[in-house]
């Protein structure tokens, strides 16, 4: 029987939805026993949230002052120690997971399986390559632990209703001294988190300036949506890079994705291909974005977006 350890992603005492998506992936392995590890300086609140996820059998709460900030080099030795006795170690394919899981794999001496989008069996997985234009089947050695990142856009959130036991875990691992937290600089916003939002409004290079991007923020606030951007808009300095959607940004799967002034480069389409409904607004009727859009509107965004907001 497979015994799977999922590393929980959390921030400011709240569990990230990516963890529940990892649980859905783990449930696709028949007969798997699923445990969730919460590493923090004060893990109780997050552990209680994780215990409610359907399908989780146990939550391991690791309290350590060094875990106050999610530093991969600090967390990895602890996860590697916790991984003893587990057949699989999963983390989300988010910025957090992409930073942490390769370190865990290196410490365990195994190759990582990245971006798991489908499970064939306990050691056979499918993942996208070539910007999502091809799907490859990967078989991991059954003699070693499987360390993998889960493509969160490909999996639904596991439901709530579980009542897993929460167990305080002590980890005897030597932590590095060469890597330490200095400070965190991030934009503050009351909008939903881009990675897990149900609705996302994104702007592209056609916005023309940071000031013009205000109409995207305004529409998003009206709709209760997160804000995203194309790489071109980020490179032009219109918005910070944490808003970038696409192959080199965030891969998302909202119920509704509205692309405004985005032409639809393949790298951007890779990040939104799992979205429920895609709406595109662009003045170029030949823009590639219209090839995948469920609803397309050709016209001047600076006229259409204010009208749309007024109608809402």
């Amino acid at each position: 029987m497979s015994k799977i350890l999922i590393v929980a992603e959390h921030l400011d005492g709240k569990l990230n939805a990516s963890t529940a998506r990892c649980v859905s992936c783990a449930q696709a392995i028949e007969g798997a026993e699923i445990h969730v590890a919460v590493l923090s300086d004060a893990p109780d609140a997050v552990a209680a949230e994780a215990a409610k996820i359907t399908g989780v059998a146990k939550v391991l709460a690791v309290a350590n002052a060094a875990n106050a900030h999610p530093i991969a080099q600090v967390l990895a030795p602890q996860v590697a120690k916790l991984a003893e006795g587990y057949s699989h170690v999963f983390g989300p394919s988010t910025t957090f997971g992409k930073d942490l899981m390769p370190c865990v794999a290196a410490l365990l001496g195994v190759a990582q399986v990245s971006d798991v989008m489908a499970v064939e069996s306990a050691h056979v997985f499918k993942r996208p390559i070539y910007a999502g234009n091809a799907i490859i089947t990967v078989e991991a050695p059954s003699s070693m632990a499987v360390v993998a990142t889960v493509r969160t856009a490909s999996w639904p959130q596991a439901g709530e209703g579980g009542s897993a036991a929460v167990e305080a875990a002590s980890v005897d691992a030597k932590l590095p001294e060469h890597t330490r937290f200095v400070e965190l600089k991030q934009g503050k916003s009351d909008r939903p988190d881009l990675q897990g939002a149900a609705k996302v409004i994104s702007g592209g290079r056609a916005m023309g300036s940071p000031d013009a991007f205000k109409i995207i923020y305004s529409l998003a606030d009206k709709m209760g949506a997160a804000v995203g951007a194309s790489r071109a808009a980020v490179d032009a300095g219109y918005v910070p890079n944490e808003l970038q959607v696409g192959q080199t940004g965030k891969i998302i799967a909202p119920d509704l994705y509205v692309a405004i002034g985005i032409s639809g480069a393949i790298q951007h389409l890779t990040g939104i291909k799992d979205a429920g409904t895609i709406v595109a607004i662009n003045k170029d009727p030949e823009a590639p974005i219209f090839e995948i859009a469920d609803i397309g509107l050709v016209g001047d965004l600076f006229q259409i977006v204010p009208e749309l907001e007024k109608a809402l």
Side-chain angles (χ1 to χ4, degrees):
M1 184 181 76
S2 299
K3 192 175 178 184
I4 302 175
L5 180 68
I6 294 172
V7 184
E9 178 176 2
H10 57 90
L11 185 65
D12 297 331
K14 294 183 179 179
L15 188 68
N16 190 288
S18 64
T19 304
R21 295 180 187 272
C22 288
V23 172
S24 288
C25 178
Q27 287 176 317
I29 297 177
E30 190 174 350
E33 180 181 342
I34 303 169
H35 296 178
V36 174
V38 177
L39 293 87
S40 175
D41 56 336
D44 293 350
V46 177
E49 279 190 78
K52 295 177 183 177
I53 301 175
T54 303
V56 175
K58 184 190 289 185
V59 177
L60 303 176
V62 180
N64 189 326
N67 297 337
H69 303 282
I71 307 299
Q73 288 72 24
V74 174
L75 299 182
Q78 299 173 74
V79 174
K81 280 288 185 181
L82 286 173
E84 294 174 3
Y86 287 92
S87 60
H88 298 68
V89 185
F90 286 175
S93 189
T94 58
T95 303
F96 166 80
K98 288 177 180 178
D99 190 28
L100 172 62
M101 300 311 289
C103 297
V104 174
L107 290 172
L108 293 178
V110 301
Q112 176 181 290
V113 180
S114 301
D115 288 336
V116 172
M117 64 180 297
V119 172
E120 298 287 299
S121 69
H123 291 85
V124 180
F125 311 94
K126 288 186 179 295
R127 59 160 304 214
I129 59 172
Y130 301 131
N133 288 302
I135 307 300
I136 189 172
T137 300
V138 180
E139 182 172 358
S142 58
S143 59
M144 301 179 179
V146 176
V147 176
T149 57
V150 174
R151 181 182 166 92
T152 53
S154 299
W155 299 92
Q157 283 183 236
E160 292 190 357
S163 55
V166 178
E167 179 182 302
S170 178
V171 181
D172 182 21
K174 180 174 174 54
L175 303 184
E177 298 176 358
H178 65 281
T179 305
R180 59 194 179 278
F181 176 82
V182 177
E183 65 175 321
L184 173 64
K185 292 184 178 180
Q186 62 177 351
K188 294 293 183 182
S189 174
D190 294 329
R191 299 183 187 92
D193 174 57
L194 176 59
Q195 198 90 50
K199 292 175 285 188
V200 176
I201 314 294
S202 282
R205 176 165 37 199
M207 300 309 303
S209 70
D211 281 345
F213 228 88
K214 291 176 181 176
I215 66 172
I216 301 293
Y217 291 123
S218 182
L219 180 61
D221 290 342
K222 192 78 169 181
M223 296 177 63
V227 171
S230 67
R231 177 173 179 171
V234 171
D235 287 349
Y238 301 162
V239 292
N241 60 11
E242 61 258 31
L243 299 188
Q244 184 177 325
V245 173
Q247 185 179 10
T248 53
K250 291 181 170 65
I251 295 174
I252 58 176
D255 297 331
L256 172 66
Y257 185 78
V258 183
I260 300 173
I262 295 175
S263 62
I266 185 62
Q267 290 84 359
H268 187 79
L269 302 186
T270 297
I272 62 170
K273 64 190 306 178
D274 294 309
T277 299
I278 299 174
V279 178
I281 299 172
N282 200 296
K283 68 179 182 181
D284 179 9
E286 302 300 321
I289 191 74
F290 288 124
E291 294 179 15
I292 67 160
D294 299 287
I295 301 170
L297 183 56
V298 177
D300 182 355
L301 70 89
F302 294 105
Q303 178 183 346
I304 292 171
V305 174
E307 288 179 2
L308 177 58
E309 184 178 343
K310 186 177 179 181
L312 288 169

